[in-house]
Amino acid sequence: MATPLHDERPTLTLVPPPAQTLVFKDKPTDRKKIADSARAVAATTNKVARIALLPHTVRGYRQLGRRWIDRYRDHYPQLIADADQAVRDAAGDVGQATQYKKIADGYRVEYRQHRKAFVTKTAAVGGAVAGGVGFGAVTGSLWLDLVAGLGAWGIGAFHGRDRKQPAVDVPLEPVAPRDPARILGESDLITALVKAGIITEAQRDETHVVGIIQPAGPGWTATIELPRGMKASAATSRAEELASSMRVKKSQIEMRADTSEDGHEGQVVLWVANEANPYGDMKVPSPLLTADRLDFWQYGVPLGTDARGGRHTLELVWCSILLGGLPDYGKSFLARLVAAAAALDPHMTVHVATGKAGPDWVGTKQFAHSYVAGNTPGKILAFLDLLNELIADMQQIGERLEQLSEENPERCPEGKLTPELAKEWKRGLTLLIVDELQELLDAAAMMKIKTDDDPESKDRGRNGKEVLVETMARFVRVSRYVGGMGLFITQRPDATSVPTMLREVCRKRACFRVKGAASSRMVLGDDAVAAGAAPHMLLDAQKGVVVLDQGGEDGHITLKTDFMTIPEFREICMRGRQLRIEAGTLTGFAAEYGTTGRTSTGKELLADCIAALDADGVDRARTKRLLELLATHRPSTYEGLTDSDLQGRLREAGAGGTRKLGPLDGMANPNGYTREQLAEALGK
């Protein structure tokens, strides 16, 4: 049987049956809308990321950084640099350089304060933001993180947006041209002298500055050597013209002869203030307000400060002083300083005469040996009697010095009263204060006064003014070397109120503001005004500023006097009374002052005051109220007593002066006495 070559069997193929699957089909229009939306979202997202998220945000934070730095600096570096450059540009002009230096220093101080404040604010804001972000990170709050991110993005994008602003043309003011009158060096100063007519153009080469122009207090100074043959007085007399040529106020110029060891008759010292009123507007309290006592021999009168801040003292021993000027410019303040210094020396005898009654000198009643106020014929005669008594007293001391010089000349080598002799003879210096001189002279001019040189004359006598002037001048002459001195005050500096005879015997003279050079000469004399003393060049605002001619080679100075109110002066007068009571030198008018109706001792007075306060149910009272209570308590003893009398008697009793009482009688803090104060004095 034959075998087949191939097994022909059918091939088996496994094919799964087709699956029955549901297929959803979109319409062509729907597919197009979806594609368009997707493309729009993608484009918007790309645009936002490209435009806002990256460039604008980065630029915004860059702008914020620049802005922070600008605000941190606030233009101060530029201002400081400009001020420093101005200082360098003003080389040689001491006044301008000093002003610009002050401006630069002020900018530096302000810059430091500004940086400190700005950094503090920035740290506070940064700390608040960091705290918020940190809180979100710690708590895992998705919303906080999202808000922080969006906020950071938004701030950057907002500040980085395009902001086109129209350009603004800022008009620049032209730089002011250099003022040719400014003093930038020796050449400019000599030019100013030429313009002022002090020197001529031909004398320019003969005039030069000794040393350099240099700062001096609130201004600058220069020593100028004038051409040969030219006196310093010729230059100082034209100080006002020099101020005009330098374009400054006349009150800014001080010009005097150079009296130093290196100076000579043809050399002047010029000082120019930076400001029109270098003395300022501040009132400087007198150091006498806090002084317990004062030795007039040794210390003199603390007077005031000059324009450069230097302190000055009035040495009045061995000389008298004439004081003049317009009303309300400070004469009374200076006179008060002299009287206050005298009050604090318990060994000094003070006599007061004023041609017009008023409150200015009432305080001196507490310690003055003599007191005359008014200009009636009786007051004029009383003043004349006082002068004659003083002259006799001064002559008596002179006689004792004459005898001593014969017996023991070593004890008075200069022929003057010495502090040792005054202590041995139990007498001190003598001061005569004469205020309202013009009132006394006017009243005396209407009187006839008989004099000892013509006692039998049948006429009515000599003109009272002539007699008064001659007697005052005589007192000044005879008292000079025996410890006597006079202070004469007038507020109408003219030929009638300042007689030449009296002015010439007063070695020192002081003048406040007057209207013209003629009035300056009436008070200070021709020589002082020629030497540069110029109270007529003072400004209206310079109240309290005085030109003091010290006499001799000391020349003159201009200074602002210390300040002391009438109540403060009165308190010093009360202190002077107590010092004299303790030293046993309270005599004359002051010893009798306030004794009318006085029958109680100090202890009785203190006890009566305490009883009066207790009866009224109070523990403190003003002086006036306490006096009313005393008058009610014991009328026969205390009626007629004045406030000042009561204060003086309480001080003598050991209660001291008045004290601040706090709110009382509708007043915020009046002065008066407390029960505790009086009881403490009573128990001593």
Side-chain angles (χ1 to χ4, degrees):
M1 174 175 187
T3 303
L5 298 173
H6 303 283
D7 189 3
E8 295 182 3
R9 283 178 289 187
T11 303
L12 298 178
T13 304
L14 298 179
V15 179
Q20 302 296 321
T21 305
L22 296 176
V23 178
F24 296 92
K25 297 181 179 179
D26 294 331
K27 295 180 181 180
T29 57
D30 295 335
R31 288 196 300 271
K32 185 177 180 181
K33 290 180 179 180
I34 292 173
D36 292 342
S37 298
R39 283 192 296 271
V41 171
T44 301
T45 302
N46 184 48
K47 183 177 181 181
V48 169
R50 186 178 69 254
I51 297 176
L53 185 59
L54 293 178
H56 279 57
T57 302
V58 172
R59 184 169 62 191
Y61 279 105
R62 191 184 302 121
Q63 293 286 353
L64 287 175
R66 292 197 190 100
R67 199 171 305 162
W68 186 92
I69 293 175
D70 290 341
R71 292 180 179 177
Y72 175 78
R73 293 176 176 172
D74 197 20
H75 304 293
Y76 277 107
Q78 177 185 345
L79 292 173
I80 294 173
D82 291 344
D84 289 339
Q85 183 61 44
V87 175
R88 290 189 289 271
D89 293 341
D93 186 348
V94 180
Q96 290 291 339
T98 303
Q99 289 183 349
Y100 290 140
K101 180 65 168 57
K102 290 181 180 179
I103 293 173
D105 292 342
Y107 284 151
R108 288 187 173 90
V109 173
E110 293 178 8
Y111 190 22
R112 286 194 293 269
Q113 295 174 347
H114 169 75
R115 285 184 298 183
K116 183 178 179 180
F118 194 74
V119 169
T120 301
K121 292 179 182 178
T122 302
V125 174
V129 173
V133 174
F135 178 78
V138 172
T139 58
S141 174
L142 177 62
W143 286 106
L144 286 177
D145 292 341
L146 182 60
V147 169
L150 289 175
W153 169 79
I155 291 173
F158 176 78
H159 287 283
R161 71 189 188 279
D162 293 330
R163 290 180 291 183
K164 295 182 179 180
Q165 297 180 354
V168 179
D169 294 332
V170 180
L172 298 177
E173 296 183 0
V175 178
R178 176 184 179 277
D179 185 357
R182 286 175 54 192
I183 303 301
L184 298 179
E186 180 176 353
S187 176
D188 290 325
L189 180 54
I190 295 176
T191 299
L193 296 174
V194 174
K195 296 291 185 182
I198 296 176
I199 62 174
T200 64
E201 185 65 38
Q203 294 174 314
R204 177 186 289 271
D205 294 338
E206 296 183 62
T207 309
H208 66 274
V209 174
V210 179
I212 61 173
I213 301 175
Q214 56 186 332
W220 57 270
T221 186
T223 301
I224 306 168
E225 188 170 57
L226 300 170
R228 292 180 181 274
M230 184 176 183
K231 296 180 181 180
S233 58
T236 56
S237 63
R238 300 189 65 83
E240 192 168 359
E241 287 80 359
L242 180 59
S244 175
S245 69
M246 295 173 64
R247 294 295 188 263
V248 297
K249 294 283 188 181
K250 58 185 180 180
S251 60
Q252 293 176 245
I253 295 284
E254 284 188 10
M255 199 174 186
R256 58 180 177 80
D258 186 1
T259 57
S260 65
E261 292 184 2
D262 298 329
H264 55 76
E265 297 302 323
Q267 199 160 287
V268 296
V269 177
L270 172 68
W271 183 78
V272 182
N274 294 333
E275 300 178 358
N277 186 8
Y279 305 94
D281 299 323
M282 296 294 293
K283 296 178 180 178
V284 180
S286 171
L288 295 172
L289 298 176
T290 56
D292 294 329
R293 61 189 298 157
L294 181 138
D295 186 346
F296 207 94
W297 282 96
Q298 183 175 359
Y299 297 106
V301 184
L303 201 57
T305 56
D306 59 28
R308 293 166 240 193
R311 291 287 306 174
H312 291 269
T313 300
L314 175 62
E315 300 292 343
L316 203 54
V317 181
W318 315 129
C319 61
S320 294
I321 182 171
L322 176 65
L323 174 59
L326 293 174
D328 301 324
Y329 281 91
K331 296 186 306 299
S332 297
F333 293 110
L334 191 153
R336 254 181 240 141
L337 294 175
V338 176
L344 294 177
D345 187 338
H347 299 288
M348 193 164 184
T349 304
V350 179
H351 305 267
V352 178
T354 173
K356 184 170 61 177
D360 287 344
W361 299 104
V362 170
T364 60
K365 292 181 179 180
Q366 300 292 335
F367 68 92
H369 182 84
S370 304
Y371 185 88
V372 179
N375 57 10
T376 62
K379 298 292 185 181
I380 297 298
L381 293 176
F383 176 44
L384 188 59
D385 290 340
L386 170 60
L387 288 172
N388 289 323
E389 291 175 4
L390 287 174
I391 291 172
D393 185 44
M394 297 294 101
Q395 287 181 330
Q396 183 180 7
I397 299 175
E399 291 172 358
R400 297 186 67 175
L401 286 174
E402 180 182 354
Q403 181 180 359
L404 182 64
S405 65
E406 292 178 347
E407 299 173 354
N408 194 354
E410 292 81 8
R411 300 194 61 190
C412 53
E414 297 181 5
K416 299 179 181 179
L417 181 70
T418 64
E420 294 76 19
L421 290 175
K423 184 177 180 180
E424 179 182 336
W425 294 345
K426 295 183 180 180
R427 65 165 303 129
L429 298 170
T430 301
L431 173 65
L432 170 64
I433 300 175
V434 182
D435 194 12
E436 301 292 347
L437 178 62
Q438 76 284 346
E439 298 295 333
L440 292 171
L441 295 180
D442 286 348
M446 296 184 290
M447 298 173 56
K448 294 290 186 179
I449 299 177
K450 286 186 175 292
T451 58
D452 292 338
D453 59 351
D454 190 19
E456 302 298 331
S457 175
K458 296 181 180 180
D459 60 16
R460 298 174 56 191
R462 296 178 58 199
N463 181 275
K465 179 180 178 180
E466 295 177 0
V467 175
L468 206 57
V469 170
E470 291 176 3
T471 310
M472 286 188 290
R474 187 180 176 208
F475 162 77
V476 173
R477 290 194 300 269
V478 301
S479 65
R480 180 177 179 184
Y481 295 110
V482 293
M485 62 203 81
L487 168 61
F488 303 95
I489 311 157
T490 180
Q491 67 175 3
R492 198 181 66 213
D494 55 31
T496 59
S497 62
V498 186
T500 303
M501 178 182 293
L502 179 60
R503 184 191 66 207
E504 292 304 316
V505 295
C506 292
R507 179 182 174 188
K508 297 193 176 184
R509 305 154 193 173
C511 188
F512 288 82
R513 183 174 182 266
V514 290
K515 291 184 178 180
S519 295
S520 296
R521 286 190 289 269
M522 288 295 175
V523 179
L524 301 179
D526 295 339
D527 293 340
V529 175
H536 56 283
M537 292 173 61
L538 296 174
L539 301 179
D540 183 69
Q542 291 178 318
K543 294 186 177 182
V545 178
V546 63
V547 178
L548 173 63
D549 180 26
Q550 303 177 90
E553 295 182 357
D554 293 334
H556 69 276
I557 55 174
T558 304
L559 51 87
K560 186 169 185 177
T561 57
D562 295 333
F563 185 74
M564 180 186 298
T565 64
I566 291 180
E568 291 170 339
F569 174 62
R570 185 171 176 274
E571 184 65 26
I572 291 179
C573 293
M574 300 286 287
R575 204 182 312 158
R577 180 184 182 89
Q578 185 63 31
L579 289 172
R580 283 163 174 78
I581 291 174
E582 295 172 357
T585 57
L586 187 68
T587 58
F589 179 89
E592 299 296 327
Y593 179 66
T595 59
T596 303
R598 179 176 178 177
T599 59
S600 61
T601 65
K603 296 293 184 181
E604 291 174 345
L605 174 62
L606 293 171
D608 288 342
C609 289
I610 294 173
L613 291 175
D614 292 342
D616 197 49
V618 295
D619 64 346
R620 65 196 62 210
R622 294 184 295 121
T623 307
K624 183 178 181 180
R625 178 57 180 163
L626 180 59
L627 189 58
E628 294 173 353
L629 295 176
L630 285 172
T632 302
H633 178 65
R634 292 181 63 182
S636 60
T637 303
Y638 298 109
E639 281 185 352
L641 203 66
T642 65
D643 293 357
S644 59
D645 294 340
L646 178 59
Q647 289 183 0
R649 293 181 58 185
L650 285 174
R651 184 181 290 275
E652 293 175 18
T658 58
R659 299 180 181 179
K660 294 294 183 182
L661 302 179
L664 184 68
D665 297 341
M667 300 181 181
N669 196 17
N671 292 327
Y673 297 90
T674 65
R675 189 186 189 283
E676 180 183 2
Q677 171 187 2
L678 299 170
E680 182 180 352
L682 183 61
K684 290 181 179 178

